[in-house]
């Protein structure tokens, strides 16, 4: 299953052991990146950046891949921020409730 910005605050069902990709717009050259804030019961099995073009500093998509490691309601929270500037730098959040069966 693939989630993106349009799936913010959704509840989705995946099978136990199933894989979930979260794709969010990012331009890491600005210093702002997406970070996992909470993913209890979800095992992170991938984290990559897909550049949107060949130009140096081009924006693209951050792709997080998770596997449902235990059954039940699993909360996923991500934040877009500059880590070295702390919580005051958070510009966006992505949250979803994952039901693993």
């Amino acid at each position: 299953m693939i989630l993106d910005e349009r799936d913010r605050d959704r509840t989705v069902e995946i099978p136990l052991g199933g894989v979930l990709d979260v794709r969010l717009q990012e331009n890491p050259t600005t210093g702002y990146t997406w970070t996992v804030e909470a993913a209890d019961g979800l095992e992170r099995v991938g984290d990559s950046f897909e550049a949107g073009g060949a130009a140096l500093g081009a924006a693209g998509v951050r792709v997080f891949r998770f596997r449902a490691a235990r059954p039940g309601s699993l909360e996923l929270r991500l934040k877009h921020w500059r880590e070295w500037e702390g919580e005051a730098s958070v510009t966006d959040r992505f949250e979803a409730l994952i039901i693993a069966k």
Side-chain angles (χ1 to χ4, degrees):
M1 174 173 286
I2 298 173
L3 301 180
D4 62 24
E5 284 92 352
R6 297 170 295 192
D7 297 305
R8 185 182 316 269
D9 299 322
R10 279 193 53 205
T11 298
V12 297
E13 251 183 54
I14 63 172
L16 182 60
V19 174
L20 171 73
D21 283 355
V22 180
R23 301 176 57 84
L24 301 169
Q25 296 294 313
E26 181 181 275
N27 188 344
T29 62
T30 65
Y32 285 94
T33 58
W34 285 99
T35 302
V36 177
E37 211 172 5
D40 293 338
L42 294 167
E43 175 189 0
R44 188 177 349 176
V45 294
D47 180 351
S48 61
F49 178 76
E50 297 174 359
L56 191 58
V61 176
R62 172 67 55 192
V63 181
F64 292 103
R65 177 168 278 189
F66 299 95
R67 178 177 294 118
R70 67 171 172 79
S73 297
L74 313 173
E75 182 182 15
L76 175 62
R77 288 193 331 259
L78 307 170
K79 63 183 173 184
H80 186 250
W81 70 331
R82 285 181 169 159
E83 185 175 356
W84 69 90
E85 290 183 351
E87 287 297 313
S89 71
V90 174
T91 62
D92 200 0
R93 292 189 190 275
F94 178 92
E95 297 183 14
L97 181 62
I98 314 303
I99 309 297
K101 293 185 174 185

